[in-house]
Amino acid sequence: TTLVVLGDGRTNFQDAGVDVVGRLKDRVRALYWLCPEGKDEWAQSDSAMVRYEPSCTRVLEVRTARELEVAARTLVRGVG
């Protein structure tokens, strides 16, 4: 099973649920996160991406249709 999460990883200042993401990862073969924000934005404000990333097989930056196509091809190939 491959889990794909699409989102910016922002919490709106609520509990990030990092443990939940970790438990989800334990139940799947791979966890890919498609994030519209660059890594330089992950530690800003309410972003929890720096805490989610360790549970992810891979985080892919997806802002454009072209980046979405590349991400889809990566998922199909199962490239970590």
Side-chain angles (χ1 to χ4, degrees):
T1 303
T2 299
L3 174 62
V4 179
V5 177
L6 175 61
D8 58 14
R10 296 205 169 261
T11 66
N12 294 315
F13 302 101
Q14 303 298 311
D15 178 37
V18 174
D19 60 319
V20 174
V21 176
R23 288 197 314 265
L24 288 169
K25 171 57 175 134
D26 291 343
R27 298 185 65 172
V28 298
R29 181 182 57 83
L31 190 162
Y32 291 91
W33 196 301
L34 309 183
C35 182
E37 294 187 343
K39 204 167 191 168
D40 58 325
E41 299 173 73
W42 292 2
Q44 297 178 10
S45 189
D46 66 332
S47 178
M49 283 308 301
V50 293
R51 294 182 292 170
Y52 295 148
E53 183 182 29
S55 294
C56 297
T57 303
R58 187 162 176 197
V59 177
L60 301 164
E61 184 178 326
V62 176
R63 293 183 185 210
T64 67
R66 175 71 179 131
E67 290 171 343
L68 181 58
E69 177 185 359
V70 170
R73 291 180 189 279
T74 299
L75 294 171
V76 169
R77 286 192 315 265
V79 175

